[in-house]
Amino acid sequence: MMKRAMPGALVALLMTTTAYAAPLPTLKKEAVAGVEARAKLAQQMNDSIFSFGELGFQEVETSKYITGVLEKNGFTIQRGTSGLPTGWVATWTNKTGGPVIALGSDIDGIPKSSQTPGVPYRKPLVEGAPGHGEGHNSGQAVNVVAALAVKELMERDGIAGTLMLWPGVAEELVASKAYMVRDGVFKNVDAVIFTHVGDNLQTTWGKASGTGLVSIQYTFKGETAHSAGKPWQGKSALDAVSLMNAGWEFRREHIRPEQRSHYVITDGGDQPNVVPERATVWYYFREQDFKKIADLKAMGDKIADGAAMMTDTTVTQRVVGYAAPRHFSKPIAEAAYANIQAVGLPKWDADDQAFAKAVQANVGADKTAGLDTELKKLEPPLEEPRSGGSDDIGDVSWAVPTITVNYPSNIPGLPGHNWRNGISMATPIAHKGVVAGSKVVAMTTLDLLMKPELRKAAKDYFTNVQTKNEKYAPLIGDAKPPVELNTGIMAQYREQMRPFYYDETKGQTYLEQLGVKWPTLDKGPAK
C-alpha cells in the first residue's frame, strides 16, 4: 500500500512547530530576563559612550567601542557606510531566509554641552567641550542589549532572520540618514525600530508633529580690497551674507507660521581691514511636507541670488543634509505599545525622584514633579500636527516601515540640546530607562520576527496609507556627506576629554569613577 504524501501546508506547520520550541509569550518573558541579565552591559555602554562626548562625523571612539562589542558577540561589521567614516552596519543572520529587522539609534553629541553627570547644576567636565546634551549616548545601549537577548533565543530555538544594527551619525546635523537611504542601506529591511531618549516610555504612529528640513550653506565670492584705502575696489561677500539674512527676515512675515528657519554665519571674513572675499551663511529651512520644504529652499535660493546681484558677488550653494517629515507605522507602533504596557515605567526610588526634582528646581524647569510615574497613551496623530524639530529618521521611515521607541532616561521639563539634558545621562535614572527601553525593543523585535501577519500589516499600511498620496522627495541629489564638519572642534578638545573616558577598573559606574555621590542634591557653588 502506497503512503500518501503529506500536504505541503502540514509539512510547513510541523516545521514551524519544530523550529520554534517556545511560544511567543514565553519567548518574550525570556527576552526580558535576557535584558535584565545584561543590565551591567547596558550601564557600561551607556556610561562609556557618554564619556566620549563626540560631535557628528567625529564619533570615532564611539563607533569603535560599539562595533567592538558587536563583533565580540558574533556580528559582522561593514564600516564606512555611505561615505560616513564613523558609519557602520552590523548584521547577524540565523538559518536561511527570515525577515531582516533593523535597530538604529543616534550617537553624536552637542557642542559646548560638557557636563559632569549626577551633579544638578552647571559643572563641565571640560570647559567649552562638547558632550551628550541630548542623551544620544544611551540608544545604542538599548539596541545592543536587546539584540543580544533576542540573538540568544534565535540561536536556541532556530528562529530564522537577520538582526541589523546601525548608528545615526551626525543626527544633530541631520546629515547621514538621507544618504544611507539614497545608497540602499535599508533596501532589504522588513522593519526598523529606532530608539531615542525621552522622559517617558512611549511610541507614536502616523505623521509626527515637527518638521522636515533641508540644510544648505550659501557661499558668496567677492574681491578683497583695503577697507580704508580703496574700499570701492572691493566686493564684499560679507555684505552679501548680511543682505541675504536681512531679506530673509523681511520675508518671514509672509511665510506660514508653521515654518521654522534659522541661520549662522560660519565664515564672515578674515579681519576688519580687508574687504571679505568669501563669506558663508548656513541655513536650516524647516516645513511639514516635502513640497513646502522645497518651496522654502527655492525662496532662500532667490534671496541669495538677489543678495549676490546687489553686491556684485557670486553665490554657490551646498546641500549639507536633509530630514524628511516623519511618518511611523501604525501596526508596529500598536505592537510596541502592547509591549510598553507589559514592561511599564521603571520603579523610580526616592533617590531618583529627589535628584530629578533637584535638577528641575535648580535649572528652572517648566515641570517640577520629578520623573513620570504614568505611561503616556498611544494616541492617534493630530489632524494638524504641531510644528517643531526635525529628525532624519524621517528619511528611513519613507524607505521601510519604521517606529521610534522613546525610553525614560532623561528628566521632564528640560530645554533639550543643552548641558542640562546631560545631567541624568550617566546616572541610575538613565540606566533604568535604558533597560526598560531595551525590554520593549527586544519584545517588539520578536513580534516582527515571528508574526508574518504583523509584517504584512506594516507593509500594507506603508503602501496603502503612508505612501498612497505622498512620496519621498529628498533634496540631496548627488551631494556627499559633509564629513569634515566638527573636525577642528574635536581636534581642540579630544585630548582634554580623554582623561575623563570611562574606565571600568576605576569604578563600577561612571559616577563612582568621577567621585560623584548619588544623589547629589545641593544647588552648587554660589555665583
Side-chain angles (χ1 to χ4, degrees):
M1 182 176 177
M2 292 182 61
K3 293 183 179 179
R4 295 180 61 186
M6 217 181 294
L10 181 56
V11 172
L13 176 61
L14 290 174
M15 288 177 66
T16 302
T17 305
T18 302
Y20 303 141
L24 183 55
T26 301
L27 285 173
K28 286 187 178 183
K29 290 179 181 178
E30 293 174 327
V32 166
V35 168
E36 291 173 345
R38 294 171 174 84
K40 181 60 179 175
L41 174 61
Q43 173 261 310
Q44 290 172 335
M45 293 194 70
N46 178 87
D47 291 3
S48 293
I49 299 169
F50 181 92
S51 73
F52 299 143
E54 296 170 303
L55 293 177
F57 295 120
Q58 311 304 320
E59 309 101 331
V60 178
E61 298 289 351
T62 300
S63 286
K64 178 181 176 182
Y65 173 75
I66 300 168
T67 56
V69 172
L70 289 167
E71 281 184 312
K72 183 179 178 181
N73 285 277
F75 281 75
T76 299
I77 312 296
Q78 176 190 345
R79 293 178 170 83
T81 310
S82 294
L84 304 165
T86 53
W88 46 268
V89 171
T91 54
W92 176 82
T93 301
N94 198 43
K95 302 291 186 179
T96 57
V100 179
I101 311 303
L103 311 180
S105 199
D106 300 321
I107 58 174
D108 58 327
I110 299 285
K112 295 182 174 62
S113 66
S114 176
Q115 171 64 26
T116 303
V119 176
Y121 49 84
R122 185 65 164 131
K123 187 180 180 184
L125 287 165
V126 176
E127 187 68 46
H132 278 289
E134 178 161 340
H136 285 176
N137 60 295
S138 53
Q140 289 292 333
V142 171
N143 292 350
V144 171
V145 167
L148 296 183
V150 171
K151 174 178 178 285
E152 182 178 40
L153 299 175
M154 292 174 70
E155 289 176 308
R156 188 197 70 187
D157 284 16
I159 302 171
T162 296
L163 301 178
M164 169 180 156
L165 279 75
W166 56 278
V169 170
E171 186 277 336
E172 300 301 349
L173 302 172
V174 288
S176 69
K177 298 186 188 75
Y179 299 101
M180 295 172 71
V181 171
R182 181 191 66 187
D183 295 345
V185 172
F186 303 97
K187 182 178 180 181
N188 297 314
V189 174
D190 291 274
V192 170
I193 302 174
F194 193 72
T195 55
H196 196 283
V197 64
D199 53 38
N200 205 296
L201 189 59
Q202 64 184 114
T203 191
T204 60
W205 64 270
K207 186 171 184 178
S209 288
T211 56
L213 72 78
V214 62
S215 166
I216 305 178
Q217 292 177 342
Y218 294 95
T219 297
F220 294 85
K221 182 75 163 37
E223 191 171 323
T224 63
H226 194 299
S227 298
K230 294 185 177 180
W232 54 86
Q233 291 188 3
K235 300 174 182 177
S236 175
L238 180 58
D239 286 353
V241 164
S242 299
L243 285 166
M244 178 180 181
N245 294 342
W248 187 259
E249 296 297 352
F250 277 103
R251 192 63 187 264
R252 282 184 199 272
E253 180 185 356
H254 309 289
I255 310 175
R256 279 170 29 105
E258 290 81 6
Q259 74 87 30
R260 299 286 187 271
S261 53
H262 7 265
Y263 54 83
V264 293
I265 299 173
T266 58
D267 180 2
D270 298 304
Q271 57 192 59
N273 64 336
V274 179
V275 172
E277 177 185 41
R278 177 188 172 95
T280 300
V281 61
W282 185 3
Y283 270 79
Y284 276 12
F285 298 120
R286 306 185 195 240
E287 252 289 5
Q288 293 185 302
D289 64 41
F290 294 107
K291 182 181 183 304
K292 292 185 179 70
I293 296 169
D295 288 346
L296 275 187
K297 179 186 179 299
M299 194 180 298
D301 293 349
K302 186 179 295 186
I303 291 173
D305 289 340
M309 291 176 64
M310 286 188 285
T311 53
D312 201 19
T313 60
T314 60
V315 63
T316 58
Q317 61 175 258
R318 179 191 185 188
V319 174
V320 175
Y322 185 82
R326 291 159 287 173
H327 193 123
F328 296 125
S329 172
K330 181 180 181 182
I332 303 176
E334 289 173 339
Y337 188 69
N339 295 325
I340 286 170
Q341 290 177 302
V343 171
L345 285 166
K347 292 180 172 59
W348 309 119
D349 62 26
D351 288 345
D352 302 330
Q353 289 288 13
F355 181 76
K357 291 175 182 178
V359 171
Q360 291 171 332
N362 288 356
V363 305
D366 56 13
K367 295 183 180 180
T368 58
L371 302 167
D372 284 356
T373 56
E374 293 186 10
L375 286 173
K376 291 184 178 178
K377 296 179 180 180
L378 180 63
E379 302 282 2
L382 298 175
E383 289 188 15
E384 296 184 6
R386 294 184 295 271
S387 189
S390 313
D391 190 326
D392 55 358
I393 189 58
D395 294 84
V396 180
S397 76
W398 290 91
V400 59
T402 299
I403 63 163
T404 292
V405 173
N406 297 110
Y407 50 91
S409 288
N410 221 306
I411 295 170
L414 304 185
H417 289 191
N418 187 277
W419 60 268
R420 295 167 177 84
N421 289 76
I423 290 175
S424 70
M425 289 312 306
T427 71
I429 293 171
H431 303 153
K432 292 175 183 179
V434 164
V435 168
S438 190
K439 291 176 181 178
V440 172
V441 171
M443 295 167 75
T444 309
T445 301
L446 285 170
D447 282 327
L448 288 163
L449 285 169
M450 300 187 64
K451 297 173 70 175
E453 67 275 18
L454 174 58
R455 299 194 300 273
K456 181 181 183 302
K459 186 175 181 179
D460 288 346
Y461 178 87
F462 182 82
T463 303
N464 300 319
V465 178
Q466 178 180 342
T467 62
K468 182 179 180 180
N469 297 315
E470 190 170 15
K471 304 300 180 184
Y472 182 51
L475 298 176
I476 58 172
D478 59 358
K480 295 181 179 180
V483 298
E484 78 285 355
L485 293 179
N486 294 322
T487 303
I489 298 174
M490 289 309 303
Q492 178 181 357
Y493 289 109
R494 190 181 294 280
E495 291 309 311
Q496 298 177 59
M497 297 165 66
R498 196 178 299 278
F500 294 98
Y501 288 176
Y502 177 41
D503 183 344
E504 296 157 20
T505 67
K506 296 181 180 178
Q508 289 295 310
T509 66
Y510 195 38
L511 292 189
E512 186 176 314
Q513 175 180 327
L514 296 173
V516 175
K517 178 186 175 183
W518 179 258
T520 296
L521 303 177
D522 60 287
K523 295 183 178 181
K527 296 181 180 179

